[in-house]
Amino acid sequence: MTITKSDLQPQFKFEVTAMPGGELAKRCFDCGSCTGVCPVSQAEAAFDPRRILHMIKMGLKDRLLDSEAIWYCSHCDTCAFVCPQGVQFSGVVDVLREMAIQQGYVDPAVFEQWGTGPCKATCPAHISIPGFIAAIAQGRYAEGLRLIKKEMPFPAICGRVCPHPCEGKCNRGKVDEPIAIEYLKRFLADADFSSEVRYVPEIEAKREEKVAIIGAGPAGLTAAYYLAIEGYRVTVFERLPVAGGMMAVGIPEYRLPRNILQAEIDVIRALGVEIKLDFEIGKDLSFDDLRNDFQAVFISVGCHQALKIGIPGEDDFEEVIDCITFLRDINLGKPPAYKGRLVVLGGGNAAIDSARVAKRLWYDDVAIFYRRTREEMPASPWEVEEAIEEGIDLQFLTAPARILGSHGKISGLECMRMALVEADESGRRRPIPIEGSEFTVKADVVVVAIGQRSDLSFLANGHGIDVSPRNTVEADPVTAATNIAGIFAGGDVASGPRTVVEAVAFGKKAAASINRYLKGDDIRAGYRKDWKGVEFEPKDVERADRQPMLRLSVAERAGTFDEVDLGFNEQQASREADRCLRLCGIQKAKESNK
Ligand SMILES: Cc1cc2nc3c(=O)[nH]c(=O)nc-3n(C[C@H](O)[C@H](O)[C@H](O)COP(=O)(O)OP(=O)(O)OC[C@H]3O[C@@H](n4cnc5c(N)ncnc54)[C@H](O)[C@@H]3O)c2cc1C
């Protein structure tokens, strides 16, 4: 479609800003950068971001709705990083689509799911992954970082510890190997650390309302970040002497250096957020007083109470310790003075972390006992691999029956061999003890790492907030709202133990809801529908090896907490970015949205 002279006479008299998308389109001065980088525009002549903005400015509503334009945008946000005016074109497309529905041009069911690249759809924070990868390919690191920071405040952290579900869905994986999305994210964040001026988002307006956040983990800090950008006065209350939650006192330093963690938290402080450390709600200030002082409250206290394994002897010895306390003490610089053989009980990431930390600190002889097999371990496979590399002894199908010892001194464990039968409600095969298989092993220290739950004692006086039988705060997964107006909850305290990126996603939703609540808007209005990742079979794509991550050798890791993964250099990042197919979104546009 070409614009003719008659098009320039608007058929409807619109104020540009009165038209949906007009506020954004008004900023456009027709430089054409968006069209230049848009992968859809390059493949589909019908699609041209600049022309769409132009039509909005001209008020050509009917032409817009009739045009192919709004069907093709794949929300990769590649345009957003080049726009000198910061127009988020996919935001424009969203309002156009909304308009198309409102005006009866399309059946709303067409847009029930928003199609995009499967990486972006799978990411709990819905980062514009194709967009930031395109930015890397063009050497525009600052713009790429800004795209990520629009969706989450912790690219350096998540570029190191995220279990990267996005990579599992990457269409490139059908050709050879998925794009190293996690490492590319880290690359951009690390480039920001070494730039002269670090990126701090602009604060949109100043608002008087005060918001309290309980807990400075990723959920709480993310909510603080977005609320501060909206201009609210935000105070985060944290009972520990450090900010970061489990990122600071759970995840070990060799996976997440503390200067990196603090550097990302510093940006949140730079936005004016006050983080009050060593300040426990329920002790230093009651929950009621907090509610009276603040217009909205976000509960994000995580899960810091370890579960007990429930075997005889568990409470009888000082050397039986839960992994949450064990890792927290070490991370806060108070390593316990144990000696001898250390056995960790459990199969999740916390078990692996406890074992690898113990090995680094003092122990030659560290073992993990897990009652299922390696296949069922909830720990990330690469963590298990690295633990084995570092000499941790993994014993599968082994469960403890009791802790042995006398006179307050532990001597070992009585264990049983297990067999796996049919799957339980978790979908994993259920372990049952093999009769007569008891055996004893030596142990001087036992670390119990079988899970954790929330400590909700600060709500103990009955504040009417609904709590589930699993001891999580009942919060709407879409809005983070609890049953009490003005009180929101999210992250591990609402979902049970999950991951950093899921806590981030929850914190982001909470911030959006709190913003709406304080403005008196419907908190459910405007929530984006589900993203749909478009799968397709790539054809005629040349194979290209995924860039390897450089790592410290096993010998170099011994006895230190130095970071194991060394990051991509510029050349590697550029090569890896070039492997991105970029066309996933276009496939979606044609197949799922039309
Ligand atoms: C050992 C370990 C390793 C992990 N490794 C990974 C990993 O590699 N990748 C990954 O994605 N996820 C990992 N996780 C999970 C991840 O860290 C959590 O899912 C995430 O931190 C949850 O975020 P959150 O903000 O909900 O809670 P948290 O991070 O737990 O933060 C909650 C904060 O609230 C504070 N608080 C609690 N009660 C109060 C109160 N009454 N007053 C004031 N403050 C309070 C706590 O001190 C804490 O700082 C790991 C977890 C553990 C335990």
Side-chain angles (χ1 to χ4, degrees):
M1 182 171 57
T2 48
I3 290 192
T4 64
K5 208 170 170 198
S6 66
D7 292 331
L8 299 176
Q9 305 299 319
Q11 293 128 11
F12 298 91
K13 263 246 166 274
F14 282 116
E15 276 298 311
V16 168
T17 50
M19 179 142 170
E23 261 315 327
L24 293 167
K26 198 169 63 166
R27 295 196 223 147
C28 172
F29 63 90
D30 219 9
C31 70
S33 311
C34 54
T35 302
V37 295
C38 171
V40 187
S41 160
Q42 281 155 27
E44 295 287 337
F47 188 85
D48 181 346
R50 177 174 48 167
R51 197 164 59 202
I52 290 164
L53 294 172
H54 211 87
M55 286 197 278
I56 292 174
K57 283 209 283 192
M58 300 305 299
L60 304 178
K61 189 171 73 170
D62 278 5
R63 289 205 68 118
L64 265 170
L65 295 177
D66 281 344
S67 78
E68 301 260 271
I70 54 174
W71 310 105
Y72 280 100
C73 175
S74 66
H75 292 84
C76 72
D77 282 331
T78 308
C79 55
F81 75 79
V82 288
C83 176
Q85 294 292 84
V87 176
Q88 301 286 340
F89 184 72
S90 58
V92 175
V93 168
D94 286 352
V95 280
L96 287 174
R97 287 177 176 180
E98 210 57 60
M99 178 169 82
I101 293 170
Q102 279 167 17
Q103 308 214 341
Y105 274 77
V106 289
D107 178 348
V110 172
F111 289 134
E112 226 150 63
Q113 292 189 313
W114 297 74
T116 188
C119 48
K120 178 171 177 170
T122 311
C123 172
H126 302 304
I127 299 171
S128 291
I129 293 167
F132 84 67
I133 293 179
I136 294 175
Q138 295 187 18
R140 294 172 182 265
Y141 305 146
E143 290 95 332
L145 183 85
R146 282 212 296 275
L147 261 189
I148 303 178
K149 286 238 168 176
K150 195 174 142 256
E151 304 303 339
M152 64 118 64
F154 299 127
I157 294 166
C158 280
R160 288 168 164 82
V161 305
C162 189
H164 47 268
C166 51
E167 293 185 23
K169 296 281 180 184
C170 174
N171 282 321
R172 176 88 213 192
K174 296 171 189 164
V175 178
D176 36 41
E177 285 181 279
I179 305 293
I181 298 169
E182 184 195 12
Y183 300 154
L184 288 177
K185 189 169 350 116
R186 168 186 168 154
F187 171 79
L188 283 179
D190 289 358
D192 180 55
F193 291 144
S194 46
S195 67
E196 264 172 39
V197 185
R198 294 210 33 219
Y199 172 62
V200 179
E202 267 176 42
I203 296 177
E204 317 233 315
K206 275 272 160 230
R207 294 182 196 278
E208 282 312 306
E209 296 95 328
K210 295 196 303 176
V211 182
I213 292 176
I214 314 175
L221 291 174
T222 301
Y225 175 82
Y226 288 107
L227 288 164
I229 291 173
E230 287 291 337
Y232 292 105
R233 294 158 65 195
V234 185
T235 310
V236 182
F237 298 93
E238 170 53 57
R239 74 173 167 196
L240 292 173
V242 291
M246 281 302 187
M247 304 187 295
V249 295
I251 301 176
E253 210 171 342
Y254 58 84
R255 294 206 281 127
L256 177 57
R258 297 309 183 243
N259 60 334
I260 299 287
L261 171 66
Q262 291 312 322
E264 293 209 312
I265 296 176
D266 282 349
V267 171
I268 296 170
R269 287 200 173 95
L271 288 166
V273 171
E274 186 184 6
I275 305 177
K276 282 184 186 279
L277 299 175
D278 277 322
F279 197 111
E280 182 169 342
I281 299 303
K283 191 172 126 211
D284 299 308
L285 184 71
S286 75
F287 187 71
D288 282 336
D289 287 341
L290 183 80
R291 278 189 70 187
N292 292 336
D293 287 352
F294 292 84
Q295 280 77 50
V297 176
F298 180 48
I299 301 171
S300 51
V301 295
C303 292
H304 286 248
Q305 215 169 54
L307 297 180
K308 287 188 163 248
I309 199 159
I311 54 171
E314 186 176 10
D315 297 323
D316 300 344
F317 305 97
E318 225 178 86
E319 296 85 0
V320 180
I321 186 167
D322 70 80
C323 68
I324 300 299
T325 311
F326 179 76
L327 289 171
R328 182 172 59 225
D329 285 352
I330 292 167
N331 278 311
L332 292 178
K334 298 180 289 187
Y338 298 137
K339 281 198 180 73
R341 180 169 204 242
L342 184 138
V343 174
V344 180
L345 305 176
N349 279 330
I352 300 282
D353 285 339
S354 301
R356 293 179 70 192
V357 160
K359 186 92 184 170
R360 278 168 170 73
L361 269 176
W362 335 269
Y363 297 91
D364 279 339
D365 191 1
V366 178
I368 295 177
F369 290 2
Y370 179 54
R371 60 198 183 131
R372 293 182 166 100
T373 68
R374 185 167 174 183
E375 212 174 291
E376 285 87 17
M377 274 185 112
S380 311
W382 53 92
E383 296 290 335
V384 179
E385 200 53 54
E386 288 184 13
I388 294 170
E389 267 174 25
E390 288 167 17
I392 313 274
D393 171 24
L394 268 85
Q395 299 278 333
F396 297 107
L397 296 170
T398 304
R402 64 192 171 108
I403 314 269
L404 306 170
S406 56
H407 309 297
K409 178 89 188 76
I410 178 176
S411 61
L413 282 164
E414 183 180 302
C415 298
M416 296 199 72
R417 294 283 177 215
M418 309 297 276
L420 293 183
V421 292
E422 77 287 352
D424 61 16
E425 65 282 354
S426 74
R428 293 173 304 165
R429 285 179 296 157
R430 193 164 54 88
I432 52 160
I434 299 174
E435 221 173 287
S437 67
E438 294 85 354
F439 63 100
T440 57
V441 292
K442 179 183 175 326
D444 299 291
V445 183
V446 172
V447 177
V448 179
I450 57 152
Q452 60 269 12
R453 59 186 231 147
S454 297
D455 172 4
L456 299 179
S457 52
F458 68 99
L459 295 175
N461 296 334
H463 296 276
I465 297 175
D466 285 347
V467 173
S468 77
R470 292 189 304 141
N471 207 45
T472 53
V473 172
E474 298 268 23
D476 185 322
V478 176
T479 62
T482 67
N483 58 313
I484 308 281
I487 301 181
F488 299 79
D492 280 4
V493 71
S495 60
R498 293 274 172 82
T499 61
V500 171
V501 70
E502 286 170 277
V504 162
F506 227 136
K508 189 164 69 166
K509 288 179 202 169
S513 298
I514 292 171
N515 184 27
R516 290 191 187 110
Y517 168 77
L518 292 175
K519 287 178 173 166
D521 296 339
D522 173 4
I523 60 166
R524 290 201 79 87
Y527 269 103
R528 186 152 224 155
K529 301 162 190 79
D530 286 344
W531 288 101
K532 180 180 176 191
V534 177
E535 306 275 333
F536 75 106
E537 287 305 321
K539 291 193 188 80
D540 305 324
V541 179
E542 256 179 56
R543 293 176 66 86
D545 289 342
R546 176 176 155 123
Q547 291 295 308
M549 170 61 74
L550 285 177
R551 295 205 162 84
L552 288 186
S553 69
V554 172
E556 286 167 324
R557 291 179 219 167
T560 84
F561 278 74
D562 291 350
E563 187 170 25
V564 173
D565 290 351
L566 301 175
F568 277 173
N569 61 29
E570 211 168 347
Q571 193 186 38
Q572 280 182 298
S574 161
R575 283 197 184 145
E576 189 61 22
D578 282 341
R579 294 179 65 239
C580 178
L581 301 176
R582 301 214 214 297
L583 295 173
C584 310
I586 301 176
Q587 299 293 320
K588 155 252 125 204
K590 286 184 179 165
E591 287 155 24
S592 67
N593 278 2
K594 276 199 94 178

